[in-house]
Amino acid sequence: MPVVFFLQGPPLSGKTTEIMKIMAEKHKIDPFSYTFIGPSGYYVREFADRFVKLAGSIVRKNFYAVDQFAVEIYRDYEPQMLHINEDFEKVLLSSRVLDNMEGLDSSIKRSPNFVNDLLEVIRDIKEKGEDYLERLPDEDIYITVVEAYKRLKDQMAEMKLFDSFDAYDFVSKIELPHGFKGKYLFIDGFYDFTPIMSRMFKNIFYTFDEIYITCTVDDRRIFNQASTIVEFINNLGDAFTVVKQRIDRKEKDEKFEYLMSIFGGSEIIDTDFADLQKYPNKHFEVENLCKEIKRMLTEKKYEPGDIAIVLNDFHSYRILFTRRLESYGIPYRLEGDFKLSESFIVNLLLLPLEVVSKDYLPELILSMIDFGYFSEVDPAEFESVFLNARIITISGRSRAKQRKEQIIEKLQEYQKKIKKRIEQANSSDEIDEDYIQQLEDEYEMVEKVKKGVRDIFENFLEPFGKGRMEVENYRKLFIDWIKKLELEEKLLESSQVDQLIALKNFIAALEGLEVVLKSIGKKRLGVTEYRKYLYIFISSVNYKPSLEFDNRIELLSLEASRFKTKKVKIFVGFNDGIYPKVENNLFYSGDNFSDILGTRYYSLKENQQKLSLFISMSKTTEKVLFTYPAATVEGEPLLLSSFCFELFPTGSGKFEKSAELITEPSSITELKTKYILSNYPEHRVEDIETQTGLKDLIHDFDRRLKEDVYKIKDVQFLKELIGNRFSYSKISTFEKCPRKFFYRYVLKIPERFEKRFEFTPFQKGSIYHSVLARIFKWLTQNNYDLIEVYTTDAFKNEVLKILKEEIEKQIYFDAELIKNIELEYFREYIENIIEKLAREENLYGVDELDETLDFVPKHFEISFGYSSDKVIVKEKDFEIELIGRIDRIDVSKDNRLFLIDYKTSSTDAKKQLMFYTLSLTKLDRFKNHRVYGGCTVVIENNNGKGKISNRFKLDEYGFINFPDGKAKKTLDLEEFERNEIMENVRQIYDGYFDKNDKTNCYACLFMNLCTFFGV
């Protein structure tokens, strides 16, 4: 007759220690003579690790979690059956059961919450036994539960599947041989027995000579469920001899007294063992805790393995903590079962299947770029090209090769448009080298994108096709992708051990799926069908994301933390909604169900979490810290967990205690940040590096930069960045705002193309310049007089033809309506300015006394400084080159020059005209000419009729006279060269780029960047 030794007593009384001593005695005699069963894998590992210190060495296969024990026996007897977990059952329930049930709305069938709630009831039925069905209310919703339960049961039997409850039920009914798991059975760590578990344990008890089982006895509500273990022992019957033993704690310390007072015990004791800290928000909470942990480690108070961070909201906090711990150089590991289907690396590998299944949607191809299937182009740039080329609008079904050809064709069309824009930019009044370089870079970017598209289709998508394929070939494709993408090497290099573990588990899952599919006769599958089976299969696979390294900070879920013994545990995010974290079940709500669970459902779940919290705290030896954010990042207040009132005395002052924020840098990155941006807001450097390209400049910050970001110390380095060629635009940008100059010409921040229907001011100016240049070339080539032909239909048709061609070069959109709107807009202004020029009686007369001069339009879009036509400006040993483009130069019979600059809108262009005049006087090609004067032609002035302004005349002494308007001026060209050009360039090379009083920030493209820097 088996003997059952029942060890019972209050929490922390030493029951586990006592059962361990008895096990050690049995172990000395025969290390294979016993079996240990615990409630979970976490508990079993912790128990075994403690026991090995006592016993010296152990047989690990003697130690089981209860699920593992039942499943192993089931598999031994039914090897053809496949074990599935809760996630697999959810997929099965939604895809195979609910879809075939009539009377359910389609939205309900697809609702994850409905499926989760329904499965919870079904598992309760399995746990409590089928007689539980008779207790369900006679209502439609519970009739649905019964039908779903029976259908799921039949479906699993048909597919040869079983879950842990099926294993419990199986083991409770079969006849097991005596001694098949040894002579002695030890059971510890349980706080309740479910009915199905009780039946299983009673059946296996017959196979052992001695059974040792512990039970916590306490009057508090959180231990109410322990009564199920007592009832189980009391109902064993005459077939067993039961020996009950009471175990009480011999020594009582402060920690014991505190734990016995909380959650419904006596009056709560105020102790240093447990503390509570408040933070402004979650980010301050995480950062400060990581700094505090680093301080604890550096001061040698604790080893990393002494500390655990407990996250009941695991997925919300996990990424925040891992990033900070890594940046502070703190070793850590994640403890907890992660779903393989949620792994980054697994989703990366599943993506091509999704792309093929969903007909090669462009947005999914972009997702492949985001996941690194083509790394030669930044994902943001790749997406920008797809948007500009209008690839994102491609839809409809297609085969792989056809879709590839569609995308390549769109990209080639986009390249043609970029070429047109380059031609347009080269015909502008002033060549903007940065803008042209951008266009050329964009062209090259499209070329790389084309290569990326070809690589993705040829290497990852086209091998599938749309036909059926041998299932082993799918696995071979995955293995091939892993090699092509060098995933293992990259994960090792970036120390992403968790993803490397996931990858290994995924490869094993592929092999397992192949066996299952072949065993049920599915040897050839199409992509969509294989993808469905694969997703269902990996949804049932969990993995542990960290290797079993010793001496690391552990990030634990509340469940995993229950049986981990640590010196310090930090319970993070102690807010209402996280403690307790309970989602209501629609099947267990309302008075009609209160006799089963009903109104007690929430209370039951809350008590389960309180018990988990209590157990976790009891496994902490020195310090328990609870932390919580008082508000969201946006400032919305958050409530403290109601558990706090059962953990801390209200008069202790701990509820009002705010954590002391650590401001000292805790990493090299923080130290650099503090040094460089000492006068600016905190937490900015990472974003600045990412968004502005400042990373290259601050890489060697201690040598090249002072504390002020806008001061560059290394002048030679600065000259390399800026060069020695200066356009008027470049110099005037510095004069107006040195900081804007810094962004544009030092950091070289690209100005992104504006994707909008109307043209940008730059594009409008380019079109005006090009159209007018071509019109006057046409007039000159055909020997026409503008005054004679500007009203004729032939001339107007030529203007319209030229205008259409120039608009086509600039416009991104193919819609005829947009083209027609823009055409009418430009035509009105072009015709008005031509009429203004034709009717101008004396275009070249600067004042009323000037005679009518005989000038003829001869040179158009004259560039200088870009090839051999150099304009050199010297001052002692200081030398620079001027670059630019003059819209039009008219020449008289006696070789006098009159320069004309077209402007889109009215502006004071005197300095620009002087810049062009100075350049003309230094150009070799015009050394036999003399500059007479010039003007600007404004196309879009207020009345829409055009305007001639800024007329000037250059005299023989080098003085420029601007007699037009109220502000008559006479300026010295040599003085302009010395004071306006050379002096500004000298200041540029001084390397200080702060704001000046002339700066106007309105509508500046870099205004937000200044705000971002905090200045």
Side-chain angles (χ1 to χ4, degrees):
M1 179 183 292
V3 181
V4 178
F5 296 90
F6 188 47
L7 286 66
Q8 53 187 320
L12 304 173
S13 56
K15 299 182 294 297
T16 299
T17 302
E18 184 63 28
I19 205 172
M20 216 174 264
K21 289 178 182 177
I22 300 170
M23 271 182 66
E25 292 174 3
K26 307 295 185 186
H27 179 83
K28 288 178 183 178
I29 299 170
D30 183 356
F32 296 94
S33 64
Y34 62 89
T35 291
F36 174 83
I37 298 177
S40 70
Y42 300 121
Y43 184 80
V44 172
R45 283 198 301 274
E46 180 75 9
F47 185 96
D49 289 344
R50 283 181 61 191
F51 185 66
V52 75
K53 294 176 182 177
L54 185 65
S57 63
I58 61 172
V59 181
R60 286 276 177 177
K61 70 181 185 66
N62 292 355
F63 294 77
Y64 292 93
V66 63
D67 283 8
Q68 178 191 4
F69 180 82
V71 168
E72 183 178 294
I73 295 174
Y74 191 105
R75 280 176 174 158
D76 287 342
Y77 281 82
E78 302 288 345
Q80 79 282 4
M81 301 294 285
L82 176 67
H83 179 250
I84 62 173
N85 68 4
E86 182 178 349
D87 294 312
F88 197 121
E89 283 184 287
K90 287 177 186 176
V91 176
L92 205 59
L93 187 62
S94 61
S95 63
R96 291 294 186 92
V97 176
L98 296 181
D99 277 351
N100 297 324
M101 287 178 61
E102 298 179 359
L104 280 181
D105 185 83
S106 59
S107 62
I108 292 177
K109 294 177 182 180
R110 291 192 300 267
S111 168
N113 290 336
F114 181 83
V115 174
N116 291 343
D117 292 352
L118 178 58
L119 186 60
E120 184 176 14
V121 182
I122 289 173
R123 291 170 75 86
D124 280 345
I125 295 170
K126 289 189 172 189
E127 191 176 73
K128 294 175 174 62
E130 288 197 356
D131 58 343
Y132 186 74
L133 291 170
E134 299 175 3
R135 300 170 62 188
L136 296 175
D138 187 16
E139 297 177 9
D140 288 345
I141 191 170
Y142 298 110
I143 293 173
T144 299
V145 171
V146 174
E147 183 182 355
Y149 166 76
K150 291 179 178 178
R151 283 177 176 267
L152 180 63
K153 183 178 179 181
D154 293 342
Q155 186 68 54
M156 290 177 64
E158 180 185 337
M159 296 178 68
K160 301 186 184 309
L161 306 173
F162 74 98
D163 63 13
S164 298
F165 297 109
D166 296 325
Y168 292 154
D169 185 56
F170 179 85
V171 176
S172 70
K173 294 175 180 177
I174 61 171
E175 186 176 343
L176 297 165
H178 184 271
F180 84 113
K181 288 290 183 181
K183 293 181 180 180
Y184 312 107
L185 175 64
F186 294 87
I187 300 175
D188 183 53
F190 288 87
Y191 287 87
D192 73 323
F193 279 176
T194 63
I196 188 68
M197 195 184 295
S198 296
R199 293 199 298 272
M200 180 190 72
F201 276 141
K202 186 172 182 179
N203 194 38
I204 66 170
F205 276 14
Y206 289 106
T207 69
F208 292 94
D209 295 339
E210 295 177 6
I211 301 100
Y212 297 85
I213 182 170
T214 62
C215 177
T216 298
V217 179
D218 193 287
D219 293 334
R220 285 173 285 182
R221 284 180 58 193
I222 59 173
F223 296 101
N224 281 351
Q225 292 301 306
S227 62
T228 59
I229 302 176
V230 177
E231 290 173 8
F232 168 75
I233 295 296
N234 292 337
N235 294 328
L236 279 175
D238 296 337
F240 297 91
T241 300
V242 176
V243 179
K244 295 183 179 180
Q245 180 182 351
R246 172 82 183 189
I247 297 179
D248 288 301
R249 187 179 179 89
K250 297 177 181 178
E251 297 178 0
K252 298 180 180 180
D253 55 16
E254 184 183 7
K255 171 191 164 183
F256 174 79
E257 296 288 355
Y258 168 73
L259 290 173
M260 295 302 290
S261 73
I262 62 176
F263 290 128
S266 58
E267 184 178 349
I268 303 171
I269 296 171
D270 188 10
T271 173
D272 291 335
F273 172 71
D275 205 356
L276 178 67
Q277 287 182 354
K278 178 172 65 176
Y279 288 92
N281 59 51
K282 183 189 295 185
H283 292 283
F284 276 103
E285 180 186 23
V286 171
E287 182 173 344
N288 208 69
L289 284 174
C290 290
K291 287 186 174 184
E292 181 61 39
I293 289 170
K294 182 157 188 176
R295 180 184 287 178
M296 291 161 66
L297 299 177
T298 54
E299 291 178 358
K300 305 297 183 183
K301 291 181 180 178
Y302 297 98
E303 292 291 320
D306 297 333
I307 303 169
I309 300 170
V310 183
L311 309 172
N312 205 27
D313 190 6
F314 199 85
H315 291 285
S316 172
Y317 272 95
R318 175 176 63 92
I319 294 176
L320 292 174
F321 267 106
T322 53
R323 284 177 179 171
R324 279 297 172 197
L325 290 170
E326 285 171 5
S327 68
Y328 293 155
I330 301 173
Y332 71 90
R333 66 182 298 270
L334 298 166
E335 176 64 271
D337 289 332
F338 277 54
K339 296 177 183 177
L340 193 60
S341 58
E342 294 179 356
S343 159
F344 167 82
I345 205 71
V346 170
N347 279 285
L348 181 152
L349 289 167
L350 290 177
L351 194 52
L353 277 71
E354 184 179 3
V355 176
V356 175
S357 299
K358 296 183 178 178
D359 297 304
Y360 314 100
L361 290 175
E363 56 264 35
L364 291 178
I365 293 172
L366 287 177
S367 295
M368 291 184 71
I369 301 302
D370 287 335
F371 274 88
Y373 276 87
F374 184 73
S375 57
E376 293 179 30
V377 177
D378 183 88
E381 296 288 353
F382 208 104
E383 182 179 1
S384 176
V385 170
F386 260 46
L387 286 170
N388 288 342
R390 302 183 70 192
I391 291 167
I392 207 73
T393 62
I394 295 176
S395 60
R397 292 180 174 274
S398 179
R399 292 187 178 275
K401 289 185 178 179
Q402 293 170 337
R403 181 69 85 216
K404 180 179 71 173
E405 289 168 3
Q406 283 179 322
I407 295 174
I408 297 296
E409 185 179 346
K410 286 275 189 184
L411 291 170
Q412 288 171 341
E413 289 174 2
Y414 180 48
Q415 282 183 309
K416 290 177 183 177
K417 290 184 177 181
I418 294 173
K419 277 189 174 180
K420 289 180 181 178
R421 299 191 78 179
I422 293 173
E423 292 170 6
Q424 195 78 20
N426 279 319
S427 66
S428 174
D429 63 328
E430 180 186 336
I431 293 180
D432 188 335
E433 285 189 311
D434 293 336
Y435 178 69
I436 292 171
Q437 186 62 52
Q438 268 189 278
L439 289 169
E440 290 174 349
D441 290 345
E442 183 82 353
Y443 187 92
E444 290 301 317
M445 184 65 67
V446 179
E447 200 62 37
K448 290 180 181 178
V449 168
K450 282 162 60 177
K451 180 179 182 297
V453 170
R454 290 192 182 99
D455 283 0
I456 284 174
F457 272 90
E458 292 166 9
N459 292 323
F460 302 102
L461 302 179
E462 289 178 2
F464 284 113
K466 274 289 186 181
R468 300 166 76 80
M469 197 162 67
E470 301 287 343
V471 292
E472 60 264 26
N473 288 339
Y474 285 102
R475 177 174 56 84
K476 291 175 182 176
L477 274 178
F478 281 116
I479 301 298
D480 183 50
W481 296 345
I482 291 168
K483 291 178 181 176
K484 281 180 179 176
L485 296 171
E486 299 179 340
L487 293 182
E488 292 185 343
E489 295 84 350
K490 289 176 181 177
L491 292 174
L492 281 170
E493 186 179 344
S494 58
S495 300
Q496 296 186 58
V497 178
D498 60 327
Q499 295 304 314
L500 193 60
I501 295 171
L503 183 61
K504 298 293 185 185
N505 280 272
F506 179 67
I507 294 171
L510 291 173
E511 295 171 352
L513 177 62
E514 190 177 322
V515 172
V516 171
L517 289 174
K518 287 182 177 180
S519 67
I520 60 175
K522 300 282 186 180
K523 296 181 180 180
R524 288 176 60 85
L525 293 174
V527 178
T528 303
E529 193 176 8
Y530 179 83
R531 175 173 168 259
K532 179 183 69 176
Y533 279 112
L534 177 58
Y535 183 79
I536 291 174
F537 193 81
I538 65 172
S539 294
S540 68
V541 178
N542 289 344
Y543 73 99
K544 299 191 181 304
S546 295
L547 298 174
E548 296 289 343
F549 290 123
D550 291 333
N551 204 23
R552 291 175 177 244
I553 300 290
E554 288 193 281
L555 296 174
L556 307 171
S557 64
L558 178 60
E559 181 185 4
S561 75
R562 291 180 302 167
F563 307 116
K564 287 279 187 177
T565 301
K566 299 285 181 180
K567 289 184 178 180
V568 178
K569 284 184 183 175
I570 304 170
F571 295 85
V572 178
F574 207 63
N575 294 94
D576 186 38
I578 300 177
Y579 289 93
K581 190 175 185 179
V582 180
E583 296 178 0
N584 199 15
N585 186 310
L586 67 92
F587 296 100
Y588 287 150
S589 60
D591 294 335
N592 60 346
F593 211 46
S594 59
D595 60 326
I596 304 175
L597 284 174
T599 55
R600 294 189 295 109
Y601 177 79
Y602 185 90
S603 176
L604 178 65
K605 297 294 182 181
E606 184 177 343
N607 273 333
Q608 287 174 350
Q609 288 191 40
K610 285 182 180 178
L611 178 60
S612 295
L613 187 58
F614 179 91
I615 297 169
S616 181
M617 293 170 68
S618 70
K619 297 287 183 180
T620 313
T621 59
E622 293 186 14
K623 183 75 175 178
V624 169
L625 175 63
F626 294 88
T627 69
Y628 71 99
T632 64
V633 177
E634 293 77 20
E636 297 180 14
L638 295 173
L639 295 177
L640 183 59
S641 168
S642 58
F643 289 4
C644 277
F645 301 98
E646 300 181 71
L647 291 172
F648 299 103
T650 53
S652 64
K654 292 183 178 179
F655 288 88
E656 294 79 27
K657 185 178 179 182
S658 293
E660 180 184 348
L661 297 180
I662 302 172
T663 58
E664 294 80 12
S666 296
S667 68
I668 297 298
T669 302
E670 280 193 312
L671 191 63
K672 287 187 178 183
T673 304
K674 190 176 181 67
Y675 179 79
I676 299 170
L677 301 179
S678 57
N679 297 319
Y680 304 108
E682 298 176 359
H683 315 302
R684 293 287 178 87
V685 75
E686 291 176 4
D687 294 326
I688 292 171
E689 287 183 1
T690 302
Q691 295 185 23
T692 72
L694 189 60
K695 186 173 183 179
D696 291 337
L697 285 177
I698 69 167
H699 178 68
D700 198 9
F701 77 97
D702 55 340
R703 184 172 64 86
R704 291 184 171 173
L705 294 178
K706 292 184 177 179
E707 287 188 6
D708 191 334
V709 170
Y710 300 104
K711 175 66 179 176
I712 295 185
K713 189 176 179 181
D714 190 333
V715 176
Q716 187 56 42
F717 170 62
L718 180 63
K719 288 181 177 179
E720 291 171 11
L721 287 172
I722 297 172
N724 73 327
R725 299 166 76 193
F726 291 87
S727 65
Y728 174 76
S729 174
K730 201 170 185 178
I731 293 173
S732 64
T733 298
F734 176 80
E735 192 173 24
K736 291 173 185 174
C737 180
R739 191 172 295 165
K740 183 175 181 178
F741 183 94
F742 177 77
Y743 295 143
R744 185 170 181 185
Y745 297 105
V746 179
L747 296 186
K748 301 185 188 300
I749 300 171
E751 297 178 21
R752 301 299 304 161
F753 299 135
E754 296 180 70
K755 294 179 276 292
R756 58 184 190 177
F757 290 108
E758 71 274 15
F759 287 112
T760 64
F762 181 85
Q763 290 172 307
K764 285 167 64 176
S766 296
I767 291 172
Y768 283 135
H769 286 89
S770 296
V771 170
L772 288 171
R774 289 182 62 183
I775 287 171
F776 279 98
K777 281 180 183 177
W778 180 80
L779 288 169
T780 302
Q781 289 166 0
N782 290 281
N783 228 0
Y784 291 145
D785 189 314
L786 178 62
I787 298 173
E788 294 176 358
V789 302
Y790 83 93
T791 58
T792 65
D793 290 340
F795 178 77
K796 290 181 178 179
N797 289 336
E798 185 64 24
V799 171
L800 188 61
K801 171 177 165 290
I802 292 171
L803 185 54
K804 283 182 177 179
E805 291 174 356
E806 295 301 326
I807 288 175
E808 186 68 32
K809 288 180 183 179
Q810 292 284 352
I811 201 162
Y812 270 118
F813 300 93
D814 298 328
E816 288 300 319
L817 176 62
I818 298 170
K819 291 180 182 177
N820 291 335
I821 291 172
E822 295 293 350
L823 182 65
E824 290 304 314
Y825 173 86
F826 281 104
R827 181 163 66 174
E828 180 181 357
Y829 280 110
I830 289 290
E831 289 179 349
N832 285 341
I833 196 62
I834 288 173
E835 182 179 0
K836 176 73 175 177
L837 291 170
R839 298 178 65 176
E840 183 72 20
E841 294 181 1
N842 188 7
L843 175 64
Y844 311 106
V846 177
D847 55 43
E848 295 178 359
L849 299 177
D850 280 342
E851 58 180 322
T852 302
L853 299 171
D854 185 18
F855 281 92
V856 177
K858 189 171 183 180
H859 303 287
F860 307 96
E861 299 175 328
I862 295 297
S863 63
F864 54 89
Y866 294 102
S867 57
S868 57
D869 244 354
K870 295 186 182 297
V871 176
I872 307 296
V873 179
K874 293 182 178 180
E875 194 175 281
K876 296 182 180 178
D877 58 343
F878 188 51
E879 179 181 303
I880 62 170
E881 296 180 24
L882 303 185
I883 57 174
R885 183 183 295 274
I886 301 170
D887 292 335
R888 173 177 151 191
I889 300 174
D890 295 359
V891 184
S892 67
K893 289 181 180 178
D894 58 353
N895 287 337
R896 286 185 287 182
L897 306 177
F898 191 90
L899 63 94
I900 295 175
D901 187 43
Y902 297 125
K903 294 292 181 189
T904 303
S905 57
S906 296
T907 184
D908 184 358
K910 293 182 179 63
K911 287 188 178 181
Q912 188 167 2
L913 290 170
M914 292 181 73
F915 183 91
Y916 290 156
T917 302
L918 177 65
S919 300
L920 273 178
T921 63
K922 295 179 179 291
L923 275 173
D924 285 343
R925 66 184 295 189
F926 292 110
K927 63 183 178 181
N928 296 323
H929 295 70
R930 184 177 74 82
V931 179
Y932 172 78
C935 69
T936 56
V937 174
V938 181
I939 302 168
E940 293 185 8
N941 73 323
N942 292 336
N943 62 19
K945 298 297 182 182
K947 180 182 178 183
I948 312 297
S949 66
N950 294 311
R951 295 179 199 252
F952 74 89
K953 184 187 288 186
L954 177 67
D955 65 23
E956 57 185 312
Y957 303 107
F959 286 92
I960 291 182
N961 299 294
F962 289 95
D964 241 1
K966 296 179 182 178
K968 294 180 172 58
K969 289 186 178 179
T970 299
L971 302 171
D972 186 344
L973 199 58
E974 288 185 5
E975 188 176 315
F976 172 78
E977 177 184 342
R978 185 173 57 254
N979 295 338
E980 296 289 340
I981 294 180
M982 299 303 283
E983 182 58 32
N984 274 318
V985 173
R986 285 185 184 280
Q987 288 184 29
I988 288 171
Y989 285 153
D990 281 345
Y992 187 67
F993 301 100
D994 206 356
K995 226 172 183 179
N996 63 23
D997 296 336
K998 300 177 184 178
T999 301
N1000 181 3
C1001 296
Y1002 176 72
C1004 174
L1005 292 172
F1006 302 107
M1007 180 173 63
N1008 291 336
L1009 193 55
C1010 281
T1011 305
F1012 187 75
F1013 271 100
V1015 293

